[in-house]
Amino acid sequence: MLDFTPVRSREKTMAQLGSSLTAADLRRLTNEMIDAMLGMIAESQDADVTRVIDDPEANDTFAAASDDVQLAWTLGHVIVHTTASAEEAAFLAAELARGVPRREGRSRSEVPWQTVTTVAQCRRRLEESRRMRLASLDVWPDQPYLGNVYERGPGGGPINAVTNFLFGLSHDDSHLGQIQRLAEQTRAARLGREDMG
């Protein structure tokens, strides 16, 4: 999987990290990311998906309700959140690749996390996200407009289609530790309870 450490430590910009990547590379990286997440929840059971665990990393700055910003995330919540963000990045990247200038606003759709209550739903959400992200790469022209860029913020460098797609994978990557921790802690809580019964 791609190492985003140089971007997080400000040694490289996302544009520099992605400068040699192609749509085929983004396909491979997407599959690796989804496979990693599926692996992390491979031993999870339905009770683990909605179990509330103390989550110091809970911080959803884009939450629909202000009460939900610091809400402890369930495993289902983090799965739908991270997939929605990566899909948004992928669909905006497809517009950039087609030469469409970046417009203000969001292109985000997130499954209500409260409705994701089973491991099967988490797996379906991840596979659906894989399908949607890979499909977004299918709409890229054979010669994408990689000179079609916008500025995301000061010091971030120009953002083109590849870079924008990478922001979604980077967001996924930033939640891998949280997914792993929640999967392990909910499983431990379940097994501890079963041992006591």
Side-chain angles (χ1 to χ4, degrees), residues 157-178:
I159 308 299
N160 68 8
V162 171
T163 309
N164 207 89
F165 197 101
L166 282 181
F167 274 111
L169 288 170
S170 175
H171 183 262
D172 279 341
D173 184 75
S174 73
H175 282 287
L176 288 179
Q178 185 182 25

Side-chain angles (χ1 to χ4, degrees), residues 96-175:
L96 290 167
R98 293 172 40 243
V100 177
R102 176 73 176 103
R103 297 180 297 272
E104 291 298 316
R106 306 290 309 267
S107 180
R108 184 179 181 82
S109 176
E110 184 171 323
V111 173
W113 62 269
Q114 299 90 337
T115 65
V116 178
T117 60
T118 68
V119 177
Q121 285 177 299
C122 288
R123 289 185 183 119
R124 277 195 305 271
R125 174 83 278 269
L126 286 165
E127 289 297 354
E128 179 180 55
S129 186
R130 181 199 312 260
R131 178 180 52 80
M132 292 167 66
R133 296 186 221 185
L134 294 178
S136 78
L137 291 166
D138 285 339
V139 303
W140 284 35
D142 292 339
Q143 298 296 318
Y145 292 85
L146 297 181
N148 182 24
V149 299
Y150 71 99
E151 293 289 328
R152 186 173 173 145
I159 308 299
N160 68 8
V162 171
T163 309
N164 207 89
F165 197 101
L166 282 181
F167 274 111
L169 288 170
S170 175
H171 183 262
D172 279 341
D173 184 75
S174 73
H175 282 287

Side-chain angles (χ1 to χ4, degrees), residues 5-127:
T5 305
V7 174
R8 294 194 180 112
S9 63
R10 301 189 189 280
E11 295 168 34
K12 286 186 175 182
T13 65
M14 193 69 79
Q16 290 169 328
L17 185 66
S19 64
S20 64
L21 297 178
T22 65
D25 294 321
L26 298 178
R27 233 175 240 296
R28 176 183 51 78
L29 292 167
T30 296
N31 283 318
E32 288 174 358
M33 183 61 70
I34 297 294
D35 290 345
M37 290 181 188
L38 286 167
M40 290 175 184
I41 64 169
E43 296 180 34
S44 296
Q45 294 183 8
D46 290 349
D48 303 340
V49 174
T50 57
R51 186 181 305 275
V52 177
I53 297 291
D54 181 37
D55 186 7
E57 294 179 38
N59 181 25
D60 187 357
T61 55
F62 298 109
S66 60
D67 291 346
D68 291 347
V69 172
Q70 297 296 322
L71 185 71
W73 291 23
T74 62
L75 191 54
H77 188 172
V78 71
I79 295 288
V80 299
H81 167 80
T82 194
T83 54
S85 295
E87 289 158 20
E88 177 180 25
F91 280 90
L92 292 174
E95 288 194 358
L96 290 167
R98 293 172 40 243
V100 177
R102 176 73 176 103
R103 297 180 297 272
E104 291 298 316
R106 306 290 309 267
S107 180
R108 184 179 181 82
S109 176
E110 184 171 323
V111 173
W113 62 269
Q114 299 90 337
T115 65
V116 178
T117 60
T118 68
V119 177
Q121 285 177 299
C122 288
R123 289 185 183 119
R124 277 195 305 271
R125 174 83 278 269
L126 286 165
E127 289 297 354

